[in-house]
Amino acid sequence: MNNNEHFDVVIVGAGISGAIMAQELGKNGKSVLILEAGTGTGGRFFSSDCDAPSQENSQPLSSYQTYMSTFFTALAKIPNAPYPNNANAPQPLVTDLAPIPQGQISDNGYFVQTGPLPFASTYTRAEGGTTLHWLGTCLRMLPEDFELKTRFGRGLDWPISYDELRPWYEIAEQNLGVSANANEQNYQQIDNPAVHIPFAASYEYKMEKIPQSYLDQYFSKGLAQMQVSFEGKNYPIDVVSTPQARNGMPRGDYRPVGAVGHETAGQRCAGNSNCVPICPIQAKYNALKTLEQAKKTGKVEIRTQCVAYQLETDEQGKNIARVHYKKYQSSDNPDHQCHAVSGTIVVLASHAVENAKLLLASNVANSSDQVGRNLMDHPTMLTWGLMPTDIGAFRGPGSTSGIPSLRGGEFRKSRAAFRIEIGNWGWSWPEGAPVGTVPDLIDEKNMFGEQLKNYIASVYPRMFRFGFLVEQLPDANNRVTLDDNYRDQLGNYRPVISYNVTDYTRAGMAAAKEVSDQIFQRLGIEGFTEYKPSDAGYLTYRGEGYSYNGAGHLVGTHIMGDNPNTSVVNKYQQSWDHPNLYLVGCGNMPTISTSNPTLTMAALTYWAAQNVLEALNPC
């Protein structure tokens, strides 16, 4: 490699945003280089017999099935379990989480956490990004989500509207392969205009919805006509199927995209129950599929094990002149070589935290002092219990339905909204069942033989949990910063994170617990929910204790806006400070609201790709 290479576009990050951008540019004839910090699979589903090193890397090429093997042998089945730790591109792990004592710093993981509460979400630094272990939920945002400040006096307004983003939602849903029925997703059956999502009159998803689980059907019947009341207004509790980027039954002549490197695998969801942390057949979308299409254009090159560490500006400080990166040969060895490339346009697509880290390390794009600020997540509160009858726990995708009717409403003036996810996998999240709980039956309760089998058969199929994805508002004090004292094996910065959960969100958690209690009572669910001060995400609100978990929904850190003094990028996803720098990903989102953010991120990226093409081909 030489340091004089030039491309039409240099993209940092081979996750979903980088993949979408590369494919759109490549198919329009633009030369594209993607720099990925983590390792890659090279589009391989299976390992070859020899599994020889690639020409460029001394480290053997991995494969998707190698990830599966790693997952099978991992003791803790956490989101990043299939994806080996890489000291040259470290990633946060949920096993690193712990309460942060007042006035102290927690630095036992990749994140350096200054508190007062821990930021609980993780992501994957490898080719394919966090779509390697996401659940696949593809919800659109509500129209009111784009106008929080105007409508409710809270948070920020977006510089774009739902109507502007709607055609890009349709493109994203088609290209990610979303299975759903539009007449259910517009929520017209719910008596709450706030959560109505308008679809184009003739619009339909390319695949039928994923069949709802027996548990979903049980809830739908049991909660029929149920309502809850907040501030004198009644809200229905309706069970609605969840749109998902996993292959269902196609409509018309649409052909689902199966596994990369295996022509016949993954054409339909087979109902495996480990979508998180890895779909074994790739029936669920991951960014490897889009990267494969990008490579087929013949215009896109992907370089893995290349960590971007500095953006260099031109002499005037106007444009990004070069991207500097460190190329390492083995994940367990810090030896590396430094290189630089240039692009007519540079796109950062490496994740909300990693984008912010690179910008801060380079001292660019931050005239507003907003880079790294407004970090958001869905603090996810769980409730769990035993159903009065067998509901078939631990089968199928992690969730196939939810309760969306409390995603919006006038109550947002005083407290956070939330969406209720109905979980199919029993107590796997709150208690680690069955992997983490069956040994206790043997070791602590001395069960064995028929007694053990009968107990498991009578109890485990009745396990149930809710997940409440609670809205968090942008807060400048929730942020990513850098500290020279904290660097990784390659000498690159580790993210320093300051994080808290305000009373607005805590009030939403209290309301969510109230709704959960009413549903448990109506259905005769025996509650086992317990929030302990020893939980990493334990907090209190008006004297009551609650615990939150990370949703893996990292939003903010380089938000878009219509004012260069208060935002990092404009509505076109272009840096206010550097005309040839574009940022993509959830970091651009000014608010998180209640929807899983990946679909919105994808829609924004398709729009951003169009804007980049127009910048490369001015009229």
Side-chain angles (χ1 to χ4, degrees):
M1 284 185 251
N2 64 70
N3 290 337
N4 296 315
E5 290 181 297
H6 181 83
F7 298 82
D8 290 327
V9 181
V10 175
I11 299 173
V12 179
I16 181 173
S17 292
I20 289 171
M21 181 66 69
Q23 183 190 20
E24 293 299 296
L25 298 175
K27 73 181 185 183
N28 282 280
K30 305 305 178 185
S31 62
V32 178
L33 172 66
I34 302 179
L35 299 173
E36 167 55 46
T39 56
T41 66
R44 293 148 48 90
F45 192 81
F46 294 111
S47 297
S48 65
D49 292 336
C50 58
D51 210 7
S54 68
Q55 183 176 2
E56 191 173 317
N57 302 329
S58 62
Q59 182 161 297
L61 282 170
S62 184
S63 72
Y64 196 78
Q65 287 300 301
T66 302
Y67 289 153
M68 284 298 301
S69 298
T70 304
F71 166 65
F72 289 144
T73 58
L75 295 178
K77 309 298 185 185
I78 60 175
N80 276 332
Y83 316 106
N85 291 330
N86 181 348
N88 290 327
Q91 56 196 8
L93 304 174
V94 295
T95 48
D96 296 329
L97 289 173
I100 303 174
Q102 186 173 2
Q104 296 187 29
I105 294 176
S106 174
D107 63 351
N108 59 307
Y110 174 51
F111 287 164
V112 179
Q113 303 255 22
T114 66
L117 291 173
F119 187 78
S121 277
T122 67
Y123 49 92
T124 301
R125 296 181 74 187
E127 184 183 22
T130 308
T131 57
L132 292 172
H133 74 63
W134 72 315
L135 184 59
T137 300
C138 281
L139 294 158
R140 296 187 186 189
M141 294 181 70
L142 306 175
E144 71 175 41
D145 292 337
F146 295 83
E147 303 173 338
L148 282 182
K149 185 69 174 179
T150 297
R151 294 198 185 197
F152 308 113
R154 296 285 186 170
L156 298 170
D157 287 344
W158 288 47
I160 60 174
S161 67
Y162 171 84
D163 287 336
E164 288 178 274
L165 197 57
R166 181 165 64 182
W168 301 104
Y169 270 135
E170 295 176 1
I171 292 171
E173 287 162 345
Q174 176 174 339
N175 289 332
L176 269 61
V178 178
S179 296
N181 293 348
N183 66 340
E184 293 184 10
Q185 296 311 311
N186 64 17
Y187 301 160
Q188 289 181 343
Q189 78 277 27
I190 295 177
D191 186 23
N192 181 7
V195 297
H196 170 62
I197 298 180
F199 279 66
S202 60
Y203 182 75
E204 188 54 272
Y205 293 88
K206 295 297 182 180
M207 290 179 283
E208 296 281 353
K209 70 178 182 180
I210 298 297
Q212 292 170 277
S213 68
Y214 176 75
L215 169 64
D216 298 340
Q217 298 172 47
Y218 183 95
F219 264 77
S220 185
K221 294 177 182 178
L223 300 180
Q225 308 304 315
M226 181 180 177
Q227 294 184 332
V228 295
S229 179
F230 288 108
E231 300 175 1
K233 181 175 176 60
N234 292 328
Y235 296 87
I237 301 298
D238 290 334
V239 175
V240 179
S241 66
T242 303
Q244 302 172 64
R246 67 182 76 246
N247 290 333
M249 294 300 295
R251 291 187 169 95
D253 59 358
Y254 178 79
R255 182 173 180 178
V257 178
V260 175
H262 194 312
E263 293 184 358
T264 58
Q267 294 294 320
R268 303 287 187 277
C269 175
N272 291 291
S273 58
N274 55 291
C275 318
V276 177
I278 185 169
C279 174
I281 58 173
Q282 292 188 42
K284 182 184 64 178
Y285 171 84
N286 65 57
L288 297 175
K289 298 182 180 185
T290 304
L291 291 171
E292 188 73 5
Q293 294 303 311
K295 288 187 287 187
K296 288 180 180 179
T297 67
K299 303 294 288 184
V300 176
E301 178 185 351
I302 303 172
R303 294 179 188 169
T304 58
Q305 298 172 209
C306 294
V307 187
Y309 67 96
Q310 184 182 15
L311 304 177
E312 176 189 344
T313 60
D314 59 20
E315 292 182 358
Q316 294 75 36
K318 182 178 181 181
N319 283 317
I320 303 300
R322 291 150 71 88
V323 178
H324 294 262
Y325 66 94
K326 298 175 181 178
K327 171 67 179 178
Y328 62 92
Q329 299 300 314
S330 173
S331 59
D332 58 3
N333 190 326
D335 291 344
H336 64 275
Q337 293 181 324
C338 293
H339 302 273
V341 292
S342 62
T344 304
I345 285 179
V346 174
V347 177
L348 299 193
S350 60
H351 199 276
V353 170
E354 298 300 321
N355 278 356
K357 191 182 77 171
L358 180 55
L359 293 174
L360 291 170
S362 307
N363 194 27
V364 298
N366 197 24
S367 63
S368 63
D369 188 35
Q370 292 302 301
V371 171
R373 296 186 184 272
N374 304 301
L375 175 65
M376 291 167 275
D377 189 15
H378 285 129
T380 302
M381 189 187 77
L382 307 178
T383 60
W384 60 99
L386 287 179
M387 301 293 291
T389 187
D390 183 341
I391 45 81
F394 302 101
R395 296 189 298 184
S399 179
T400 42
S401 294
I403 299 172
S405 51
L406 295 167
R407 290 183 60 192
E410 288 300 310
F411 56 77
R412 296 175 88 173
K413 293 178 180 178
S414 57
R415 59 96 172 157
F418 54 83
R419 175 182 176 267
I420 307 175
E421 177 193 88
I422 299 174
N424 288 331
W425 294 345
W427 297 359
S428 60
W429 193 351
E431 299 287 350
V435 176
T437 54
V438 170
D440 289 338
L441 300 179
I442 300 170
D443 298 336
E444 301 298 327
K445 296 187 178 180
N446 199 31
M447 291 187 184
F448 59 92
E450 288 298 318
Q451 181 189 21
L452 177 63
K453 290 193 295 183
N454 291 337
Y455 182 87
I456 292 174
S458 65
V459 173
Y460 281 59
R462 296 190 290 125
M463 288 181 172
F464 162 76
R465 69 102 180 137
F466 273 139
F468 294 85
L469 282 73
V470 187
E471 176 183 24
Q472 184 169 37
L473 297 178
D475 182 341
N477 294 315
N478 285 349
R479 63 186 302 196
V480 178
T481 58
L482 304 180
D483 187 325
D484 282 330
N485 294 311
Y486 298 103
R487 294 179 181 261
D488 64 22
Q489 177 174 276
L490 284 184
N492 296 323
Y493 285 104
R494 292 164 56 193
V496 179
I497 296 184
S498 303
Y499 184 73
N500 202 356
V501 177
T502 66
D503 279 354
Y504 181 82
T505 298
R506 296 183 191 210
M509 295 174 72
K513 184 60 167 63
E514 181 181 338
V515 171
S516 176
D517 290 345
Q518 293 182 43
I519 293 175
F520 275 37
Q521 182 178 18
R522 181 182 178 104
L523 295 180
I525 302 173
E526 182 183 0
F528 281 81
T529 304
E530 183 180 10
Y531 305 128
K532 298 172 288 189
S534 59
D535 294 338
Y538 182 81
L539 51 74
T540 60
Y541 179 72
R542 294 185 175 178
E544 294 293 328
Y546 307 92
S547 293
Y548 68 89
N549 299 265
H553 302 161
L554 292 89
V555 168
T557 72
H558 45 81
I559 62 172
M560 74 171 95
D562 54 16
N563 186 334
N565 296 319
T566 57
S567 58
V568 180
V569 298
N570 60 27
K571 64 186 290 186
Y572 304 105
Q573 321 299 288
Q574 179 188 35
S575 164
W576 289 110
D577 297 350
H578 310 289
N580 77 327
L581 176 64
Y582 287 74
L583 278 64
V584 291
C586 295
N588 288 349
M589 295 170 60
T591 57
I592 190 170
S593 297
T594 58
S595 56
N596 304 47
T598 303
L599 180 69
T600 298
M601 171 182 62
L604 289 170
T605 304
Y606 280 108
W607 185 30
Q610 182 64 39
N611 298 331
V612 170
L613 283 170
E614 291 176 1
L616 290 169
N617 300 310
C619 296

